[in-house]
Amino acid sequence: MSEEALIRMLSGVARDGATRAGRGLSGLMGQQISIEVPNVRVGTKTDACDAVGGEECLVLGAYLTISGDITGHVMLLFPEARALECVDLMCGQPPGTTTEPDDLAHSAIGELGNIVGSAFVNALADDLNLILHPSPPAILHDMAIALVETVYAEVLSQGGDVVMMDAVFEDEKGRTAGLLIVAPDPASVERLLGVAA
Amino acid sequence: MTAPAADARRVSVGIGQLAISKDGNDVLVAYGLGSCIGISCYDPQAKVGGLAHVLLPSSDGKRVEDREPARFADTGIDLLVKRLCDAGAVPRRLIVKIAGGAAVLGPANAEKFKIGERNADAIKERLKRHGISPAATDIGGSKGRTLEVHVISGKTYVRTAASPASEL
């Protein structure tokens, strides 16, 4: 299958997943969240991190693995300052209450990753009639590119190329409210395309 | 003069890339190494520096694509050493420092994903074949790193999101 055809097929899957994930994020943050048209990228592209401030930008987020009929990786990343704002919104606190990524912030971000990541995974499962299980979230606090390139390495170590779906969420003020990245393992890309067809 | 000029040119060495320079104004940088490893090399006599950003331990005989010449430890190091020699360096004079290979996706996944560790082993093994053993290493742990080498002095620095640059 050509790269264009692969991207076209996965775009439909990504759009539905991102819509549901965005709804999850809206519910938690108590405000309207819009979603840019999700991207499907093939290969190790560093511009995947641009939405959260570029390669070295410090992000806070959550990472989940997918198991079941397909396997893969899900990551929800926020620029650190935005993550802290999310925590205040989720906890019903005045903005600026959370000033550092403490235990409460970690727990809130883990919950956010859990709900938003699972929403995407469940959309995949429903649309394609698959049984999928998201793992509990691991909390991430690091440079954006270090996290993304590690997912690239995990996928590429299994052979094949890396295919990554990503969606940027925006808040009511049009600012980046988060970046969701989903990368199926290579054997699962084939499986996804098979069932999507 | 041993410090780069204030207007030093920072050359970003992305995933799977390598760079060689003899220009004292250059600082070669590998940003945000997670499980990847940066290999910095410097020949103090020829005053040539090099940096490679390796993603995976082994090419397993696969063809190396032009767009990512240093994706794999084995073929990447061979090419890095060759390019350095082409620029006048001599392998036995090279001061080699390596950093990266962290498990950044959380403790529960560190046991499962061992790419960083495998990268480190593969890199040391391949360097040995060229008669090189690293002069300094900053490997493993759970945090991403940025590695840079200053071509004017050969000085190498590592920083993480939480800690400022320190000389390696």
Side-chain angles (χ1 to χ4, degrees):
Chain A
M1 174 180 285
S2 70
E3 193 172 306
E4 294 79 45
L6 182 142
I7 289 175
R8 202 165 47 240
M9 289 186 79
L10 286 181
S11 293
V13 173
R15 203 171 308 127
D16 196 28
T19 305
R20 283 221 228 166
R23 227 177 277 152
L25 192 58
S26 288
L28 282 168
M29 291 175 54
Q31 61 170 268
Q32 195 58 41
I33 297 291
S34 58
I35 307 142
E36 284 184 21
V37 177
N39 285 303
V40 178
R41 300 164 200 267
V42 179
T44 54
K45 309 275 167 52
T46 49
D47 64 355
C49 304
D50 288 356
V52 286
E55 296 187 340
E56 247 196 331
C57 178
L58 187 58
V59 293
L60 198 58
Y63 168 79
L64 297 77
T65 54
I66 309 170
S67 59
D69 288 339
I70 67 163
T71 59
H73 313 261
V74 179
M75 211 148 62
L76 180 66
L77 304 178
F78 304 89
E80 191 185 35
R82 300 309 324 283
L84 301 179
E85 285 179 36
C86 287
V87 173
D88 287 337
L89 282 169
M90 280 177 74
C91 300
Q93 299 172 154
T97 307
T98 309
T99 53
E100 58 179 74
D102 53 14
D103 287 350
L104 174 68
H106 278 199
S107 157
I109 295 296
E111 186 58 15
L112 211 50
N114 205 8
I115 289 177
V116 176
S118 299
F120 191 104
V121 173
N122 291 338
L124 269 188
D126 291 350
D127 284 0
L128 304 174
N129 202 21
L130 299 169
I131 295 172
L132 302 177
H133 311 286
S135 73
I139 311 302
L140 308 171
H141 186 212
D142 214 323
M143 300 180 226
I145 189 64
L147 301 168
V148 172
E149 71 160 34
T150 302
V151 169
Y152 286 156
E154 289 304 331
V155 172
L156 290 168
S157 68
Q158 301 166 39
D161 210 343
V162 61
V163 178
M164 198 170 91
M165 297 173 258
D166 68 63
V168 177
F169 302 113
E170 285 185 353
D171 67 8
E172 290 170 338
K173 294 175 189 156
R175 301 177 305 171
T176 298
L179 170 69
L180 181 71
I181 289 172
V182 179
D185 287 323
S188 298
V189 173
E190 297 299 317
R191 179 91 203 262
L192 273 179
L193 292 174
V195 289
Chain B
M1 194 171 88
T2 54
D7 60 346
R9 191 167 72 110
R10 298 179 73 79
V11 180
S12 175
V13 181
I15 298 168
Q17 306 300 315
L18 63 83
I20 307 290
S21 174
K22 295 183 82 168
D23 183 340
N25 209 33
D26 281 351
V27 175
L28 311 179
V29 194
Y31 290 104
L33 297 157
S35 62
C36 286
I37 292 188
I39 306 151
S40 86
C41 302
Y42 189 69
D43 180 332
Q45 203 167 314
K47 296 201 178 300
V48 54
L51 181 63
H53 185 153
V54 165
L55 182 71
L56 293 169
S58 173
S59 63
D60 293 323
K62 281 194 285 288
R63 198 177 65 81
V64 176
E65 291 183 35
D66 293 343
R67 65 190 166 91
E68 277 187 17
R71 174 180 279 195
F72 306 107
D74 51 357
T75 44
I77 285 176
D78 290 354
L79 186 64
L80 176 66
V81 173
K82 182 184 179 298
R83 294 258 181 94
L84 284 160
C85 291
D86 290 347
V90 174
R92 67 178 162 74
R93 290 200 305 244
L94 286 176
I95 299 164
V96 177
K97 299 178 181 179
I98 61 179
V104 296
L105 298 178
N109 298 306
E111 278 304 300
K112 196 163 46 162
F113 303 150
K114 290 183 178 276
I115 296 274
E117 208 177 301
R118 285 169 51 209
N119 275 338
D121 291 344
I123 284 166
K124 286 179 196 159
E125 174 61 34
R126 200 64 177 195
L127 286 171
K128 209 177 192 179
R129 286 207 204 178
H130 291 277
I132 299 167
S133 64
T137 63
D138 184 9
I139 297 289
S142 60
K143 289 291 171 196
R145 298 170 172 88
T146 288
L147 171 70
E148 62 181 49
V149 56
H150 297 190
V151 177
I152 196 160
S153 60
K155 285 192 177 196
T156 304
Y157 297 88
V158 177
R159 65 175 178 273
T160 68
S163 59
S166 65
E167 193 172 346
L168 182 64

